[in-house]
C-alpha cells in the first residue's frame, strides 16, 4: 500500500488567454502578488511587437522591468546569461515572452534563482508554456536533457492577437506537438506508467488530452486560415488553447511515449534542425503508431489531419532525403537511450525495432502522398 503510485495532476497557477491580453499583464501579475523588478527574457519578434505595451501595463502596476534579448538557443550558457542579468537588476520575477525556447530558458533561470515565473508565448508552437519542465539543447541545437523544475509557472498569459500575426507554419508545428499528446497519454495510462511528475495520471488529465486531439481535428484547418489572414477567430482561440493548455496539461500529467523519444533521436541529424520541434514530433508520432501496430483507421485519421495542416509525414519533409543506415541506427540508439520516454511503451523497444518503424512510417507517408 505504501508503495502504491499516487495520482498527480499539475498545472500553472493561472492561465489567461485572449485578444490583446498583453494589455492586462501588469494587472494580472499584481493580482497574483507578483512584484518587480521584472526581467523579461524576450525573443526578437516579442521585443518588436510588445515593448510599448509592456511599458504601459507594467508601469500601471508599478512593476519596473528590464528586457534581456534571447540569444536563440535554450542552452546552459544562455540560462546562465539570463541569471546574471536577473541578479544585476535584483529581479523579483522573470517573464518569458517568445517561442518555446525563450520560455524554457525563462523557466529554468527563474527556478534556479527561486523566483516566480510568467510565461507569455507569442506563438502557439509547442505545449511547453504551462509545464514545470524545460528542454535543454546544446549550443548547436541538439537535444541534451529534460530539466524538471519544482513548480509550474505562476501565470501563463496568451495574447491571441500576437499569435495571429505569427507565421502559420509555427501554429501548425504546435499542432504537431499537440497531435501526439493524446496518443502518448493513452499509452502511458494504459501501461500504468509514471507521468512527468512521477505519479499516476488522473482521469481529468487523460480527458484533457482527448479534448486536445478532438479540438485539433475540429478546428486545426480553420485556425490555420485565421493566422494566414492575421485575424483572431473562435476557432483560433480554441486551437491555441489546445496547443498550449490542453496539450501541456495532457503531456505533463499523463506522460510521454515513443513520439517524443523519436523526436529526440532525430535531433542528432543536423538536417532536421532546420525544422520545428512539433514538425519532428509529428513524424515521431507516425513512428509510434507503427511501433504499436495501430489500426489503419487511426493511421488514416492522423495522416489526413497532418496533410490538411501541412505537417511532415515523411523523412524527406524533415530534411532527411538521404538517410544512411549508420545515421538511422544512431537516431534509433538515441531514441532508445536509458531513461527515454519510449520505454513507456507497453513492450520492450529495441533500436532495431525503431529503425524498422522509422522506415515503415516513411513508406506509409510516401504511399499516402501518392494516393492523395
Amino acid at each position: 500500500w505504501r508503495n502504491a503510485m499516487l495520482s498527480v495532476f499539475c498545472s500553472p497557477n493561472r492561465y489567461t488567454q485572449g485578444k490583446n491580453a498583453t494589455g492586462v499583464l501588469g494587472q494580472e501579475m499584481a493580482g497574483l502578488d507578483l512584484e518587480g523588478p521584472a526581467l523579461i527574457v524576450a525573443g526578437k519578434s516579442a521585443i518588436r511587437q510588445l515593448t510599448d505595451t509592456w511599458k504601459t501595463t507594467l508601469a500601471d502596476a508599478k512593476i519596473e522591468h528590464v528586457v534581456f534579448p534571447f540569444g536563440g538557443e535554450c542552452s546552459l550558457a544562455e540560462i546562465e546569461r539570463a541569471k546574471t542579468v536577473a541578479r544585476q537588476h535584483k529581479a523579483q520575477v522573470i517573464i518569458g515572452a517568445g517561442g518555446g525556447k525563450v520560455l524554457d530558458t525563462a523557466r529554468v533561470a527563474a527556478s534556479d534563482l527561486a523566483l516566480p515565473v510568467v510565461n507569455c508565448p507569442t506563438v502557439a508552437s509547442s505545449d511547453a508554456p504551462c509545464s514545470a519542465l524545460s528542454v535543454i539543447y546544446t549550443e548547436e541545437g541538439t537535444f541534451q536533457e529534460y530539466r524538471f523544475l519544482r513548480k509550474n509557472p505562476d501565470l501563463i498569459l496568451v495574447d491571441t492577437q500576437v499569435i495571429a500575426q505569427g507565421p502559420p507554419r509555427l501554429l501548425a508545428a504546435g499542432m504537431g506537438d499537440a497531435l501526439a499528446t493524446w496518443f502518448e497519454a493513452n499509452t502511458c495510462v494504459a501501461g500504468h506508467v509514471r507521468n512527468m511528475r512521477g505519479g499516476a495520471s488522473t482521469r481529468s488529465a487523460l480527458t484533457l488530452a482527448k479534448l486536445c486531439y478532438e479540438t485539433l481535428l475540429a478546428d486545426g484547418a480553420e485556425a490555420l486560415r485565421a493566422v494566414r489572414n492575421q485575424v483572431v477567430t473562435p476557432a483560433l482561440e480554441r486551437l491555441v488553447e489546445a496547443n498550449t493548455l490542453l496539450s501541456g496539461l495532457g503531456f505533463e500529467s499523463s506522460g510521454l511515449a515513443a513520439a517524443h523519444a523519436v523526436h529526440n533521436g532525430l535531433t542528432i541529424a543536423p538536417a532536421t534542425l532546420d525544422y520545428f520541434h512539433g514538425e519532428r514530433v509529428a513524424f515521431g508520432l507516425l513512428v509510434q503508431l507503427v511501433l504499436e501496430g495501430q489500426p489503419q483507421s487511426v493511421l488514416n485519421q492522423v495522416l489526413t489531419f497532418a496533410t490538411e495542416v501541412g505537417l511532415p509525414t515523411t523523412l524527406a519533409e524533415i530534411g532527411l532525403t538521404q538517410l544512411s543506415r549508420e545515421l538511422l541506427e544512431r537516431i534509433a540508439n538515441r531514441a532508445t537511450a536509458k531513461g527515454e520516454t519510449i520505454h513507456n511503451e507497453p513492450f520492450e523497444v529495441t533500436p532495431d525495432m525503431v529503425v524498422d518503424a522509422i522506415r515503415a512510417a516513411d513508406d506509409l507517408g510516401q504511399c499516402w502522398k501518392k494516393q492523395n
Side-chain angles (χ1 to χ4, degrees):
W1 149 249
R2 280 184 185 157
N3 294 329
M5 187 163 45
L6 300 176
S7 297
V8 178
F9 181 88
C10 49
S11 66
N13 191 21
R14 183 171 296 175
Y15 181 90
T16 301
Q17 176 187 310
K19 189 172 183 175
N20 299 319
T22 310
V24 298
L25 175 61
Q27 188 183 319
E28 288 284 294
M29 288 173 68
L32 292 167
D33 293 329
L34 299 174
E35 297 175 347
L39 176 73
I40 305 181
V41 179
K44 287 190 189 74
S45 68
I47 291 171
R48 191 177 65 248
Q49 287 178 272
L50 299 173
T51 295
D52 291 343
T53 314
W54 289 334
K55 281 178 184 162
T56 307
T57 183
L58 294 174
D60 288 349
K62 297 182 173 51
I63 296 172
E64 290 175 40
H65 76 281
V66 65
V67 176
F68 171 79
F70 178 64
E73 194 54 78
C74 180
S75 62
L76 295 173
E78 187 67 8
I79 291 161
E80 287 307 317
R81 282 193 284 272
K83 282 158 62 177
T84 300
V85 177
R87 286 192 197 99
Q88 282 169 355
H89 292 277
K90 299 186 168 52
Q92 295 303 300
V93 60
I94 292 183
I95 300 168
K101 291 187 177 190
V102 178
L103 307 183
D104 277 9
T105 303
R107 285 199 302 280
V108 179
S111 180
D112 285 358
L113 297 170
L115 293 176
V117 68
V118 174
N119 271 345
C120 303
T122 55
V123 286
S125 61
S126 83
D127 54 19
C130 294
S131 71
L133 166 92
S134 283
V135 185
I136 313 276
Y137 292 87
T138 63
E139 293 277 320
E140 296 73 44
T142 303
F143 171 81
Q144 190 168 333
E145 61 173 311
Y146 288 123
R147 177 75 64 85
F148 293 92
L149 311 172
R150 286 191 300 279
K151 65 187 184 78
N152 295 71
D154 298 78
L155 169 64
I156 309 290
L157 186 130
V158 189
D159 189 333
T160 44
Q161 176 64 22
V162 173
I163 285 168
Q165 310 304 307
R169 186 179 158 195
L170 278 171
L171 187 77
M175 294 187 220
D177 202 16
L179 187 60
T181 303
W182 159 246
F183 294 101
E184 292 186 287
N186 205 29
T187 292
C188 291
V189 171
H192 302 286
V193 298
R194 293 178 188 274
N195 63 20
M196 305 308 278
R197 308 315 300 173
S201 180
T202 55
R203 292 178 70 202
S204 49
L206 192 61
T207 304
L208 292 171
K210 184 121 197 281
L211 178 61
C212 176
Y213 183 59
E214 290 166 353
T215 305
L216 291 177
L217 298 185
D219 293 315
E222 196 182 326
L224 201 54
R225 278 197 296 277
V227 172
R228 287 195 183 112
N229 291 311
Q230 299 192 327
V231 293
V232 178
T233 64
L236 181 64
E237 291 284 4
R238 291 191 295 268
L239 194 278
V240 167
E241 183 186 338
N243 278 11
T244 312
L245 182 65
L246 298 177
S247 184
L249 298 176
F251 99 80
E252 193 173 17
S253 294
S254 290
L256 297 175
H260 272 79
V262 171
H263 162 277
N264 295 344
L266 289 167
T267 66
I268 70 156
T272 70
L273 300 182
D274 292 334
Y275 296 83
F276 295 115
H277 170 85
E279 292 173 330
R280 294 187 296 259
V281 170
F283 184 76
L285 173 61
L286 281 184
V287 177
Q288 174 176 325
L289 299 177
V290 168
L291 260 181
E292 293 175 346
Q294 292 280 3
Q296 194 63 43
S297 58
V298 172
L299 290 165
N300 287 352
Q301 193 172 49
V302 170
L303 285 163
T304 300
F305 176 76
T307 306
E308 191 177 28
V309 298
L311 285 167
T313 56
T314 64
L315 287 169
E317 289 173 314
I318 48 170
L320 297 174
T321 43
Q322 300 291 309
L323 186 55
S324 68
R325 177 77 195 189
E326 185 264 338
L327 182 54
L328 189 52
E329 284 172 356
R330 281 177 53 215
I331 290 167
N333 284 329
R334 180 64 194 81
T336 53
K338 192 175 188 302
E340 258 304 348
T341 55
I342 204 163
H343 303 300
N344 287 339
E345 295 292 334
F347 44 83
E348 189 188 349
V349 182
T350 64
D352 198 43
M353 287 165 69
V354 175
V355 167
D356 285 352
I358 288 173
R359 291 174 65 182
D362 180 47
D363 184 60
L364 189 75
Q366 288 186 44
C367 290
W368 178 263
K369 283 200 167 356
K370 283 176 194 151
Q371 290 162 10
N372 295 276

